[in-house]
């Protein structure tokens, strides 16, 4: 099915290229680390491979987001395919939690019954992994002038992964010089905590988005106050709904206004306010001249001193 779609300026392609490269580097090394972990018997390497999996996945979602945001919306998917990346992030987060649990469980087994670990093999692979991470980080950072959230998140992932590789190197050094193998499961648990942290953040954000939650950073009561203060004709703001599709916030709201001379100009000012202060460009505004009455008027209001009649 060929669609001709107008490509966003080169930045999208540039992002896609960088993400693709970084993904190739990370995925290749993840496989090497898994094999190395199994061969050397190092749990820390396996934990780091788990961490690399989080990176590879983050890069893949970022790549998907760049691709899907280009697909034009159609009659059935009016927002396009942007939600798919959120769904993928959600699945990824759950997989990460499972991997972490498995690694921590295995670490406890090894405390009880230490396994031999080939320190030298572990060392070589851990250092190579570190270099791979630095390379991926450099690829992502080399040209990111524009603040693409996906590329930024992916770069952060890779940065966290550098710590994982450093952990594996430390464990390898300790094993080579002292032969004390319990350091391996200890550091694998530490690395798993890093993985868990990124998984938890991912889970929270993706669940919030899937449940149509408002963007975490958005304070709706403050938005209402600011809007009433900035535009004198606006008397009241109610029925505010904000949700996110991919990275785009979408908003609907009702405003009670003093009947304006120029309806469209006032509408334009409200839209400009939302775009300028909150970067919300997709907004549907219903203007009303009468005060809103009914049980739903104060849906998302924080109750202050004056009480409203509730049913």
């Amino acid at each position: 099915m060929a669609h001709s779609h107008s490509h966003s300026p080169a930045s999208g392609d540039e992002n896609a290229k960088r993400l693709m490269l970084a993904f190739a580097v990370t995925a290749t090394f993840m496989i090497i680390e898994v094999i190395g972990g199994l061969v050397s018997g190092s749990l820390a390497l396996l934990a780091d491979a788990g961490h690399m999996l989080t990176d590879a996945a983050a890069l893949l979602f970022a790549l998907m987001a760049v691709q899907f945001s280009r697909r034009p919306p159609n009659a059935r998917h009016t927002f396009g395919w942007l939600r798919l990346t959120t769904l993928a992030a959600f699945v990824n987060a759950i997989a990460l939690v499972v991997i972490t649990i498995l690694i921590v469980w295995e670490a406890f087994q090894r405390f009880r019954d230490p396994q031999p670990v080939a320190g030298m093999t572990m060392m070589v692979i851990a250092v190579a992994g570190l270099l791979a991470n630095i390379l991926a980080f450099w690829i992502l950072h080399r040209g990111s002038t524009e603040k693409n959230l996906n590329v930024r998140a992916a770069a952060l992932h890779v940065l966290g992964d550098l710590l994982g590789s450093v952990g594996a190197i430390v464990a390898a050094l300790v094993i080579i010089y002292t032969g004390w193998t319990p350091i391996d499961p200890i550091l694998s648990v530490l690395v798993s905590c890093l993985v868990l942290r990124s998984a938890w953040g991912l889970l929270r954000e993706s669940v919030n988005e899937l449940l149509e939650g408002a963007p975490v950073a958005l304070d709706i009561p403050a938005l209402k106050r600011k809007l009433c203060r900035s535009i004198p004709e606006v008397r009241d703001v109610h029925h505010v709904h904000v949700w996110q599709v991919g990275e785009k916030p979408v908003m609907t709201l009702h405003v009670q206004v003093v009947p304006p001379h120029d309806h469209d100009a006032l509408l334009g000012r409200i839209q400009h306010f939302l775009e300028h202060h909150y970067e919300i460009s997709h907004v549907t505004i219903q203007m009303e001249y009468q005060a809103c009455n009914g049980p739903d008027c104060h849906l998302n209001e924080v109750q202050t001193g004056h009480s409203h009649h509730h049913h």
Side-chain angles (χ1 to χ4, degrees), residues 4-310:
S4 62
H5 36 224
S6 59
H7 282 273
S8 52
S11 78
D13 292 316
E14 186 51 36
N15 277 340
K17 249 193 239 110
R18 285 212 307 273
L19 288 167
M20 193 69 217
L21 259 174
F23 172 71
V25 170
T26 313
T28 309
F29 261 89
M30 176 190 82
I31 295 164
I32 293 174
E33 274 198 323
V34 170
I35 296 167
L38 294 172
V39 169
S40 66
S42 163
L43 197 55
L45 273 185
L46 285 175
D48 194 41
H51 206 158
M52 281 213 160
L53 178 63
T54 70
D55 293 2
L59 290 163
L60 190 59
F61 300 148
L63 198 58
M64 278 167 49
V66 172
Q67 295 303 341
F68 280 119
S69 58
R70 290 179 181 164
R71 294 184 68 166
N74 58 25
R76 164 109 2 248
H77 299 280
T78 55
F79 284 114
W81 290 80
L82 292 174
R83 261 295 157 79
L84 211 60
T85 51
T86 312
L87 204 55
F90 175 70
V91 173
N92 177 36
I94 288 177
L96 290 179
V97 173
V98 172
I99 288 174
T100 309
I101 291 170
L102 289 175
I103 285 179
V104 171
W105 173 250
E106 177 63 25
F108 278 122
Q109 301 296 331
R110 290 201 180 191
F111 276 122
R112 292 218 310 258
D113 173 24
Q115 302 286 321
V117 177
M120 217 50 222
T121 314
M122 181 179 171
M123 182 75 190
V124 171
I125 290 173
V127 169
L130 182 66
L131 295 175
N133 277 321
I134 292 172
L135 177 62
F137 189 69
W138 178 77
I139 290 171
L140 289 174
H141 254 260
R142 204 185 44 204
S144 56
T145 41
E146 75 289 6
K147 50 170 194 184
N148 179 314
L149 188 74
N150 267 311
V151 177
R152 267 222 321 268
L156 268 179
H157 257 281
V158 175
L159 196 59
D161 206 22
L162 286 168
L163 296 171
S165 296
V166 170
I169 292 173
V170 170
L173 283 171
V174 170
I175 289 170
I176 290 169
Y177 287 110
T178 68
W180 190 62
T181 51
I183 186 70
D184 179 58
I186 289 171
L187 281 173
S188 73
V189 171
L190 284 178
V191 174
S192 297
C193 290
L194 286 174
V195 177
L196 206 53
R197 222 188 75 193
S198 53
W200 182 246
L202 205 57
L203 196 60
R204 246 193 13 222
E205 276 172 47
S206 55
V207 166
N208 182 48
E209 229 173 280
L210 291 172
L211 293 180
E212 308 289 1
V216 184
L218 190 68
D219 177 354
I220 293 180
L223 178 143
K224 293 162 115 175
R225 285 195 304 273
K226 252 170 116 174
L227 184 56
C228 292
R229 267 208 302 268
S230 309
I231 301 177
E233 291 92 331
V234 174
R235 285 188 172 164
D236 183 38
V237 181
H238 48 274
H239 279 307
V240 180
H241 294 283
V242 194
W243 65 103
Q244 251 176 313
V245 179
E247 284 165 29
K248 290 197 301 209
V250 180
M251 183 176 203
T252 64
L253 72 163
H254 291 196
V255 285
Q256 184 206 341
V257 296
V258 180
H261 298 304
D262 185 346
H263 178 277
D264 288 359
L266 179 55
L267 197 57
R269 277 163 60 204
I270 297 172
Q271 281 166 335
H272 175 77
F273 170 87
L274 291 170
E275 174 136 35
H276 185 72
H277 291 279
Y278 291 96
E279 291 174 20
I280 298 174
S281 51
H282 192 113
V283 59
T284 308
I285 300 165
Q286 176 170 320
M287 281 163 71
E288 301 166 347
Y289 301 148
Q290 257 67 51
C292 176
N293 52 15
D296 293 343
C297 287
H298 307 286
L299 264 182
N300 38 24
E301 247 170 50
V302 183
Q303 296 303 321
T304 47
H306 51 267
S307 67
H308 301 300
H309 306 298
H310 271 285

